[in-house]
Amino acid sequence: MSFDLHTHTVFSDGTTSPEDNAAMAASAGLAGLAATDHDTTAGWERAAEACERHDIELVPGLELSTELGDRGVHLLAYWVDGDDPAMTAELERLRGERARRAAAMVAKLQALGIDVALDRVHALAGTAPLGRPHVAAALVEAGAVADHATAFDLWLADGGPAYEPKAALSPEAGVRLIVRAGGVAVLAHPGLATREAGTDLALLDRLVVEGLAGIESDHVGHDEVVAAYWRRAADERGLLSTGGSDFHGGRKDSEIGARTTPREVVDALHARRRQEVGSW
Ligand code: AMP
Ligand code: ZN
Ligand code: FE
Ligand code: FE
């Protein structure tokens, strides 16, 4: 029995509801799934109810945005205390920062002569933290690009002409925040960000010092060679390796259950949380 430890919903930049995700996880035969929306815990309640109805387990989570120089580093946080004051303050700040940044990206697009309206970005996001996929959706809607992928390729990808970084914590501070909020921190999809392997291993070692528990070695964007590289990096440091689909509904070519984590590993992750909590 296994778990998909990385899924998104309309509570961030996915296109499906927590109920949809729970139904898909159940029909895929999973034991459970983690709800890991970007910078919010708002979907937890509905996810918990839906998982209960489908008789699967919910791992409450989120995907925390952090920044290292000019690139985003994502941390998966599991079982954090949703009421932890430092965590809730940072998540709220990040959501405000996302609104600032979406406006900056729209301004860059307009300066490039692209007719896209900030109002539409907000309308497409609803109450979700604003993300680049919402900007991409507005671009598709406006007829500026044929599809989501093209919006990223032309303008929105990291370092692209309309990209604007988020002001966020360093990855080290992000791990500390997660651990202090009673959670377990896992480095998300490290193989998507790799520029120089050596740099990333140095970062990894700094995160281990802060209490990182695992690496998302199995991600839909990692091929076998990349997955094996990160599994080994995890093994060598006594970290756990997790797997997740990074499901975003229609916004990503991935299905719930495309990558999974065995129950033993989920239990071992949970056990690390108790150790961390006990040490404070
Ligand atoms: P943000 O948190 O606003 O920086 O947006 C991050 C999200 O954008 C990711 O979770 C993906 O859903 C999406 N994304 C990032 N890079 C790409 C890309 N190159 N192509 C398509 N989607 C992407
Ligand atoms: Zn996303
Ligand atoms: Fe991510
Ligand atoms: Fe994600």
Side-chain angles (χ1 to χ4, degrees):
M1 294 296 269
S2 58
F3 290 67
D4 185 335
L5 286 188
H6 192 161
T7 69
H8 295 273
T9 70
V10 288
F11 281 91
S12 64
D13 56 7
T15 62
T16 55
S17 66
E19 292 78 14
D20 294 330
N21 287 11
M24 285 183 264
S27 66
L30 298 180
L33 90 168
T36 55
D37 277 310
H38 297 281
D39 304 325
T40 180
T41 63
W44 284 7
E45 227 175 272
R46 276 177 51 190
E49 284 166 17
C51 286
E52 201 176 330
R53 267 202 307 284
H54 287 280
D55 200 22
I56 59 173
E57 288 171 49
L58 174 71
V59 173
L62 60 97
E63 188 171 12
L64 181 71
S65 298
T66 72
E67 287 276 335
L68 176 68
D70 61 348
R71 73 177 221 221
V73 173
H74 291 176
L75 298 173
L76 293 162
Y78 301 110
W79 301 292
V80 294
D81 173 0
D83 296 322
D84 179 81
M87 179 61 81
T88 51
E90 174 58 7
L91 296 180
E92 200 178 322
R93 192 196 67 77
L94 275 170
R95 293 192 294 267
E97 171 60 11
R98 281 174 167 280
R100 178 204 67 78
R101 170 204 187 224
M105 289 193 290
V106 165
K108 286 186 188 185
L109 287 163
Q110 288 169 346
L112 290 164
I114 297 145
D115 189 18
V116 62
L118 185 58
D119 285 2
R120 289 307 305 153
V121 177
H122 276 278
L124 288 161
T127 58
L130 286 172
R132 282 180 285 167
H134 303 118
V135 179
L139 286 164
V140 173
E141 188 187 75
V145 281
D147 56 35
H148 184 88
T150 310
F152 275 87
D153 290 348
L154 289 180
W155 300 304
L156 299 174
D158 290 27
Y163 179 69
E164 170 78 10
K166 296 178 202 110
L169 293 176
S170 67
E172 293 93 325
V175 171
R176 275 199 298 277
L177 180 68
I178 292 165
V179 169
R180 287 179 185 177
V184 165
V186 171
L187 180 61
H189 48 64
L192 299 192
T194 302
R195 291 186 187 162
E196 295 166 58
T199 313
D200 284 351
L201 290 178
L203 169 65
L204 183 61
D205 288 328
R206 296 200 302 276
L207 299 185
V208 170
V209 172
E210 304 298 344
L212 186 78
I215 302 177
E216 188 186 36
S217 301
D218 291 313
H219 180 272
V220 283
H222 293 174
D223 64 24
E224 242 331 291
V225 174
V226 171
Y229 174 89
W230 289 104
R231 247 181 260 132
R232 181 169 163 195
D235 289 347
E236 287 172 350
R237 291 164 178 79
L239 300 172
L240 295 158
S241 268
T242 68
S245 66
D246 206 357
F247 180 69
H248 278 76
R251 293 208 178 111
K252 196 182 179 99
D253 193 14
S254 177
E255 296 303 325
I256 287 197
R259 296 290 183 282
T260 58
T261 308
R263 176 183 288 283
E264 305 75 64
V265 174
V266 176
D267 290 345
L269 271 180
H270 193 261
R272 295 211 178 193
R273 163 186 182 251
R274 286 193 289 265
Q275 280 169 23
E276 293 297 346
V277 169
S279 71
W280 287 95

